[in-house]
Amino acid sequence: MASVTQHQIQKFHEDGFLVLEQFFSAEECDSMRSQIQRIVAEMEVPPHCRTAFSTREEEQLQAQGSSDYFLTSGDKIRFFFEKGVLDEKGNFLIPKEKSVSKIGHALHAYDPVFKQITHSPKVQELGRKLGLERPVVVQSMYIFKQPGIGGEVTPHQDATFLHTEPLGRILGFWIALEDATQENGCLWFIPGSHTNGITRRMVRAASGASTCVEFVGSEPAYDDKQFIPLPISKGGLILIHGEVVHKSELNSSESSRHAFTFHVMEAKGTTWSKENWLQPTPELPFPSLYT
């Protein structure tokens, strides 16, 4: 992998994203894919996915179960499914390895393969080139984007979900483990859209509320014509500024679009919002990117 140039870093600051082709080797990508296959093979279906609905009350308990499962996933390795892949008893309607939407949010901390990738020397070197002084890893996810059913991700800014004071301290690392194309749901960005702040935040709801999180503010209507697609080959890395607007379309193709992604925060002079869904825990304080 070639070293990142000052010109590329300048481009990142202008656009809010940077595409680095062939950042990881095919072998590194394949090691992540085979590791995730092992994790899926051993996966237990979460209890909240197994309840048969009958009453409103049970449905509310189910919703609460799934929201608790999500809210407490920051320091665990947990499973999130595509819609309609499980029956009401929690049995798979399609093969289980084709049913998972994503796995998060602490692969970087608890799985040796993903930990090694997250803290790999070239990632640390890139952090230093970007001028990060005290970067910490806040979360990670393996995203499957399953063929035919991998759902669209509507336009959003990562800082909506991972809020800091001041803004501009969140950086996403998005690694293509297979070629990402317009057909199978590559990322799309609005260049330069990271300079206008954020208009919407997802916050933890007050205790006793019916949902675990709520949105404050509103999402502006984005002009579809402003988005540009960023297809990228297997092993490529996309750096994503926390406030850049991006999306991906439904995967209507016959090939999956696996990706491993993690988020880093510059901790120096930064406050992590107490209202974020994701919180560091005594078991897992945010680990330093630099080892």
Side-chain angles (χ1 to χ4, degrees), residues 93-154:
L93 299 167
I94 61 172
K96 70 177 184 178
E97 62 280 0
K98 294 254 193 293
S99 68
V100 186
S101 161
K102 55 190 184 208
I103 298 178
H105 287 90
L107 286 162
H108 63 280
Y110 296 129
D111 182 90
V113 172
F114 292 99
K115 185 177 196 168
Q116 190 182 355
I117 292 287
T118 303
H119 297 278
S120 56
K122 50 196 165 192
V123 169
Q124 298 192 40
E125 185 199 352
L126 181 53
R128 293 199 163 91
K129 286 254 170 76
L130 288 161
L132 300 175
E133 292 185 59
R134 281 206 295 126
V136 296
V137 186
V138 298
Q139 66 108 1
S140 55
M141 272 191 304
Y142 191 104
I143 303 168
F144 292 80
K145 200 76 159 179
Q146 302 280 8
I149 57 168
E152 68 169 331
V153 177
T154 53

Side-chain angles (χ1 to χ4, degrees), residues 24-256:
F24 288 97
S25 67
E27 294 72 39
E28 287 170 313
C29 293
D30 294 341
S31 73
M32 287 186 265
R33 292 202 58 184
S34 48
Q35 184 69 351
I36 217 74
Q37 279 175 330
R38 282 195 283 277
I39 291 172
V40 170
E42 291 164 16
M43 157 182 88
E44 293 285 323
V45 177
H48 70 84
C49 296
R50 294 179 178 279
T51 48
F53 298 145
S54 51
T55 66
R56 264 312 294 269
E57 199 173 331
E58 282 173 330
E59 286 190 33
Q60 283 174 329
L61 285 172
Q62 160 103 7
Q64 191 54 49
S66 73
S67 65
D68 289 346
Y69 185 79
F70 166 73
L71 271 189
T72 55
S73 65
D75 62 354
K76 301 181 188 67
I77 294 175
R78 291 203 158 159
F79 303 93
F80 303 91
F81 299 93
E82 289 292 354
K83 290 187 183 72
V85 298
L86 292 162
D87 68 17
E88 63 276 6
K89 296 194 179 73
N91 299 315
F92 289 103
L93 299 167
I94 61 172
K96 70 177 184 178
E97 62 280 0
K98 294 254 193 293
S99 68
V100 186
S101 161
K102 55 190 184 208
I103 298 178
H105 287 90
L107 286 162
H108 63 280
Y110 296 129
D111 182 90
V113 172
F114 292 99
K115 185 177 196 168
Q116 190 182 355
I117 292 287
T118 303
H119 297 278
S120 56
K122 50 196 165 192
V123 169
Q124 298 192 40
E125 185 199 352
L126 181 53
R128 293 199 163 91
K129 286 254 170 76
L130 288 161
L132 300 175
E133 292 185 59
R134 281 206 295 126
V136 296
V137 186
V138 298
Q139 66 108 1
S140 55
M141 272 191 304
Y142 191 104
I143 303 168
F144 292 80
K145 200 76 159 179
Q146 302 280 8
I149 57 168
E152 68 169 331
V153 177
T154 53
H156 68 283
Q157 299 165 290
D158 292 342
T160 284
F161 307 96
L162 308 171
H163 192 263
T164 59
E165 296 280 339
L167 286 172
R169 299 299 168 87
I170 292 288
L171 179 61
F173 290 72
W174 192 95
I175 304 157
L177 305 184
E178 304 180 272
D179 294 351
T181 64
Q182 285 196 46
E183 290 67 47
N184 73 0
C186 71
L187 300 181
W188 295 66
F189 288 79
I190 300 181
S193 58
H194 60 303
T195 55
N196 306 325
I198 59 170
T199 57
R200 190 173 72 131
R201 284 181 58 190
M202 185 173 93
V203 299
R204 282 179 173 247
S207 58
S210 59
T211 56
C212 59
V213 292
E214 56 196 13
F215 284 98
V216 178
S218 61
E219 195 67 85
Y222 296 111
D223 177 1
D224 267 352
K225 291 193 284 297
Q226 291 190 294
F227 284 92
I228 62 160
L230 292 191
I232 187 166
S233 304
K234 174 177 174 174
L237 169 72
I238 302 180
L239 276 182
I240 304 175
H241 187 287
E243 283 98 81
V244 75
V245 178
H246 58 291
K247 67 173 183 176
S248 67
E249 306 289 347
L250 173 79
N251 180 3
S252 51
S253 81
E254 286 170 25
S255 54
S256 55

